[in-house]
mmCIF file of all heavy atoms in Angstrom:
data_model
loop_
_atom_site.group_PDB
_atom_site.id
_atom_site.type_symbol
_atom_site.label_atom_id
_atom_site.label_comp_id
_atom_site.label_asym_id
_atom_site.label_seq_id
_atom_site.Cartn_x
_atom_site.Cartn_y
_atom_site.Cartn_z
ATOM 1 N N GLY A 1 26.604 -4.183 2.233
ATOM 2 C CA GLY A 1 27.369 -3.351 3.151
ATOM 3 C C GLY A 1 28.233 -2.341 2.348
ATOM 4 O O GLY A 1 28.352 -2.355 1.126
ATOM 5 N N GLY A 2 28.805 -1.437 3.099
ATOM 6 C CA GLY A 2 29.741 -0.433 2.652
ATOM 7 C C GLY A 2 29.304 0.903 2.050
ATOM 8 O O GLY A 2 29.924 1.533 1.356
ATOM 9 N N PHE A 3 28.031 1.250 2.424
ATOM 10 C CA PHE A 3 27.426 2.431 1.847
ATOM 11 C C PHE A 3 27.821 3.717 2.673
ATOM 12 O O PHE A 3 27.711 3.677 3.847
ATOM 13 C CB PHE A 3 25.934 2.417 1.833
ATOM 14 C CG PHE A 3 25.453 1.224 0.852
ATOM 15 C CD1 PHE A 3 25.087 0.036 1.350
ATOM 16 C CD2 PHE A 3 25.413 1.446 -0.471
ATOM 17 C CE1 PHE A 3 24.651 -0.976 0.545
ATOM 18 C CE2 PHE A 3 24.964 0.453 -1.330
ATOM 19 C CZ PHE A 3 24.593 -0.796 -0.760
ATOM 20 N N SER A 4 28.222 4.736 1.949
ATOM 21 C CA SER A 4 28.474 6.033 2.632
ATOM 22 C C SER A 4 27.038 6.691 2.771
ATOM 23 O O SER A 4 26.139 6.275 2.108
ATOM 24 C CB SER A 4 29.379 6.898 1.804
ATOM 25 O OG SER A 4 28.727 7.342 0.638
ATOM 26 N N PRO A 5 26.983 7.774 3.574
ATOM 27 C CA PRO A 5 25.740 8.483 3.780
ATOM 28 C C PRO A 5 25.165 8.949 2.377
ATOM 29 O O PRO A 5 23.999 8.855 2.165
ATOM 30 C CB PRO A 5 26.042 9.607 4.671
ATOM 31 C CG PRO A 5 27.199 9.076 5.483
ATOM 32 C CD PRO A 5 28.004 8.282 4.561
ATOM 33 N N LEU A 6 26.058 9.535 1.523
ATOM 34 C CA LEU A 6 25.617 10.002 0.189
ATOM 35 C C LEU A 6 25.068 8.780 -0.662
ATOM 36 O O LEU A 6 23.988 8.986 -1.255
ATOM 37 C CB LEU A 6 26.764 10.742 -0.516
ATOM 38 C CG LEU A 6 26.412 11.325 -1.868
ATOM 39 C CD1 LEU A 6 25.310 12.361 -1.678
ATOM 40 C CD2 LEU A 6 27.615 11.961 -2.520
ATOM 41 N N GLN A 7 25.789 7.713 -0.629
ATOM 42 C CA GLN A 7 25.252 6.562 -1.349
ATOM 43 C C GLN A 7 24.010 5.983 -0.836
ATOM 44 O O GLN A 7 23.042 5.599 -1.539
ATOM 45 C CB GLN A 7 26.402 5.463 -1.448
ATOM 46 C CG GLN A 7 27.584 5.901 -2.211
ATOM 47 C CD GLN A 7 28.804 4.963 -1.918
ATOM 48 O OE1 GLN A 7 28.832 4.386 -0.846
ATOM 49 N NE2 GLN A 7 29.682 4.866 -2.940
ATOM 50 N N SER A 8 23.934 6.032 0.483
ATOM 51 C CA SER A 8 22.709 5.548 1.174
ATOM 52 C C SER A 8 21.481 6.437 0.740
ATOM 53 O O SER A 8 20.352 5.916 0.580
ATOM 54 C CB SER A 8 22.759 5.543 2.653
ATOM 55 O OG SER A 8 23.792 4.524 2.969
ATOM 56 N N SER A 9 21.704 7.737 0.601
ATOM 57 C CA SER A 9 20.724 8.642 0.198
ATOM 58 C C SER A 9 20.223 8.248 -1.206
ATOM 59 O O SER A 9 18.948 8.228 -1.455
ATOM 60 C CB SER A 9 21.185 10.076 0.234
ATOM 61 O OG SER A 9 20.254 10.935 -0.254
ATOM 62 N N ALA A 10 21.166 8.041 -2.181
ATOM 63 C CA ALA A 10 20.625 7.681 -3.524
ATOM 64 C C ALA A 10 19.895 6.304 -3.460
ATOM 65 O O ALA A 10 18.874 6.151 -4.151
ATOM 66 C CB ALA A 10 21.900 7.553 -4.431
ATOM 67 N N LEU A 11 20.399 5.376 -2.725
ATOM 68 C CA LEU A 11 19.702 4.099 -2.563
ATOM 69 C C LEU A 11 18.314 4.347 -1.939
ATOM 70 O O LEU A 11 17.379 3.656 -2.435
ATOM 71 C CB LEU A 11 20.557 3.164 -1.716
ATOM 72 C CG LEU A 11 20.038 1.736 -1.493
ATOM 73 C CD1 LEU A 11 19.838 1.019 -2.842
ATOM 74 C CD2 LEU A 11 21.048 0.946 -0.656
ATOM 75 N N SER A 12 18.171 5.121 -0.964
ATOM 76 C CA SER A 12 16.910 5.351 -0.332
ATOM 77 C C SER A 12 15.972 6.074 -1.304
ATOM 78 O O SER A 12 14.725 5.789 -1.258
ATOM 79 C CB SER A 12 17.133 6.212 0.934
ATOM 80 O OG SER A 12 17.827 5.563 1.947
ATOM 81 N N THR A 13 16.458 6.855 -2.185
ATOM 82 C CA THR A 13 15.672 7.535 -3.150
ATOM 83 C C THR A 13 14.989 6.574 -4.058
ATOM 84 O O THR A 13 13.769 6.577 -4.265
ATOM 85 C CB THR A 13 16.426 8.595 -3.978
ATOM 86 O OG1 THR A 13 16.927 9.581 -3.079
ATOM 87 C CG2 THR A 13 15.667 9.161 -5.098
ATOM 88 N N VAL A 14 15.729 5.580 -4.609
ATOM 89 C CA VAL A 14 15.227 4.564 -5.489
ATOM 90 C C VAL A 14 14.268 3.656 -4.679
ATOM 91 O O VAL A 14 13.225 3.272 -5.259
ATOM 92 C CB VAL A 14 16.363 3.687 -6.094
ATOM 93 C CG1 VAL A 14 15.818 2.582 -6.943
ATOM 94 C CG2 VAL A 14 17.229 4.659 -7.007
ATOM 95 N N ALA A 15 14.657 3.344 -3.461
ATOM 96 C CA ALA A 15 13.776 2.531 -2.649
ATOM 97 C C ALA A 15 12.400 3.143 -2.447
ATOM 98 O O ALA A 15 11.342 2.507 -2.572
ATOM 99 C CB ALA A 15 14.462 2.190 -1.298
ATOM 100 N N ALA A 16 12.424 4.494 -2.270
ATOM 101 C CA ALA A 16 11.062 5.239 -2.072
ATOM 102 C C ALA A 16 10.332 5.198 -3.410
ATOM 103 O O ALA A 16 9.057 4.987 -3.385
ATOM 104 C CB ALA A 16 11.332 6.649 -1.695
ATOM 105 N N TRP A 17 10.932 5.338 -4.563
ATOM 106 C CA TRP A 17 10.320 5.266 -5.881
ATOM 107 C C TRP A 17 9.620 3.862 -6.032
ATOM 108 O O TRP A 17 8.514 3.852 -6.646
ATOM 109 C CB TRP A 17 11.238 5.448 -7.040
ATOM 110 C CG TRP A 17 11.919 6.741 -7.175
ATOM 111 C CD1 TRP A 17 11.541 7.929 -6.670
ATOM 112 C CD2 TRP A 17 13.122 7.045 -7.907
ATOM 113 N NE1 TRP A 17 12.356 8.945 -6.994
ATOM 114 C CE2 TRP A 17 13.362 8.394 -7.811
ATOM 115 C CE3 TRP A 17 13.967 6.274 -8.718
ATOM 116 C CZ2 TRP A 17 14.396 8.991 -8.420
ATOM 117 C CZ3 TRP A 17 15.073 6.925 -9.351
ATOM 118 C CH2 TRP A 17 15.231 8.255 -9.188
ATOM 119 N N LEU A 18 10.258 2.837 -5.494
ATOM 120 C CA LEU A 18 9.743 1.447 -5.652
ATOM 121 C C LEU A 18 8.883 0.945 -4.545
ATOM 122 O O LEU A 18 8.408 -0.184 -4.622
ATOM 123 C CB LEU A 18 10.967 0.513 -5.906
ATOM 124 C CG LEU A 18 11.781 0.776 -7.156
ATOM 125 C CD1 LEU A 18 13.019 -0.144 -7.154
ATOM 126 C CD2 LEU A 18 11.017 0.493 -8.379
ATOM 127 N N ASP A 19 8.771 1.823 -3.579
ATOM 128 C CA ASP A 19 8.093 1.409 -2.281
ATOM 129 C C ASP A 19 8.620 0.093 -1.684
ATOM 130 O O ASP A 19 7.998 -0.851 -1.476
ATOM 131 C CB ASP A 19 6.531 1.246 -2.551
ATOM 132 C CG ASP A 19 5.737 1.185 -1.243
ATOM 133 O OD1 ASP A 19 6.171 1.633 -0.225
ATOM 134 O OD2 ASP A 19 4.714 0.437 -1.357
ATOM 135 N N ALA A 20 9.925 0.190 -1.573
ATOM 136 C CA ALA A 20 10.701 -1.007 -1.100
ATOM 137 C C ALA A 20 11.795 -0.487 -0.121
ATOM 138 O O ALA A 20 11.906 0.681 0.116
ATOM 139 C CB ALA A 20 11.394 -1.613 -2.296
ATOM 140 N N THR A 21 12.459 -1.473 0.519
ATOM 141 C CA THR A 21 13.520 -1.127 1.482
ATOM 142 C C THR A 21 14.778 -0.883 0.677
ATOM 143 O O THR A 21 14.952 -1.534 -0.422
ATOM 144 C CB THR A 21 13.694 -2.144 2.478
ATOM 145 O OG1 THR A 21 14.176 -3.316 1.913
ATOM 146 C CG2 THR A 21 12.389 -2.412 3.315
ATOM 147 N N PRO A 22 15.729 -0.134 1.182
ATOM 148 C CA PRO A 22 17.003 0.096 0.470
ATOM 149 C C PRO A 22 17.737 -1.315 0.247
ATOM 150 O O PRO A 22 18.367 -1.448 -0.811
ATOM 151 C CB PRO A 22 17.767 0.952 1.413
ATOM 152 C CG PRO A 22 16.746 1.820 2.136
ATOM 153 C CD PRO A 22 15.562 0.854 2.342
ATOM 154 N N MET A 23 17.725 -2.140 1.215
ATOM 155 C CA MET A 23 18.385 -3.442 1.096
ATOM 156 C C MET A 23 17.751 -4.292 0.049
ATOM 157 O O MET A 23 18.479 -5.047 -0.683
ATOM 158 C CB MET A 23 18.486 -4.170 2.406
ATOM 159 C CG MET A 23 19.325 -3.370 3.499
ATOM 160 S SD MET A 23 20.981 -2.971 3.027
ATOM 161 C CE MET A 23 20.950 -1.197 2.623
ATOM 162 N N SER A 24 16.438 -4.269 -0.067
ATOM 163 C CA SER A 24 15.785 -5.000 -1.139
ATOM 164 C C SER A 24 16.300 -4.504 -2.525
ATOM 165 O O SER A 24 16.482 -5.276 -3.466
ATOM 166 C CB SER A 24 14.274 -4.892 -0.994
ATOM 167 O OG SER A 24 13.813 -5.462 0.080
ATOM 168 N N VAL A 25 16.424 -3.201 -2.627
ATOM 169 C CA VAL A 25 16.852 -2.548 -3.889
ATOM 170 C C VAL A 25 18.251 -2.922 -4.209
ATOM 171 O O VAL A 25 18.665 -3.277 -5.264
ATOM 172 C CB VAL A 25 16.625 -1.033 -3.818
ATOM 173 C CG1 VAL A 25 17.298 -0.396 -5.074
ATOM 174 C CG2 VAL A 25 15.140 -0.689 -3.771
ATOM 175 N N ALA A 26 19.185 -2.928 -3.167
ATOM 176 C CA ALA A 26 20.521 -3.349 -3.410
ATOM 177 C C ALA A 26 20.616 -4.721 -3.815
ATOM 178 O O ALA A 26 21.441 -5.041 -4.705
ATOM 179 C CB ALA A 26 21.298 -3.088 -1.995
ATOM 180 N N LEU A 27 19.785 -5.653 -3.303
ATOM 181 C CA LEU A 27 19.877 -7.079 -3.744
ATOM 182 C C LEU A 27 19.235 -7.193 -5.169
ATOM 183 O O LEU A 27 19.780 -7.935 -6.024
ATOM 184 C CB LEU A 27 19.065 -7.890 -2.823
ATOM 185 C CG LEU A 27 19.668 -8.149 -1.422
ATOM 186 C CD1 LEU A 27 18.763 -8.883 -0.487
ATOM 187 C CD2 LEU A 27 20.983 -8.792 -1.515
ATOM 188 N N ALA A 28 18.193 -6.384 -5.426
ATOM 189 C CA ALA A 28 17.735 -6.362 -6.849
ATOM 190 C C ALA A 28 18.705 -5.940 -7.848
ATOM 191 O O ALA A 28 18.822 -6.514 -8.961
ATOM 192 C CB ALA A 28 16.425 -5.522 -6.858
#
């Protein structure tokens, strides 16, 4: 938890690179 929209965008970018969900990436 606790992600701002800008942080969520960065997290979503990495998730897209990995073909994963943002929450999976946050746990990784």
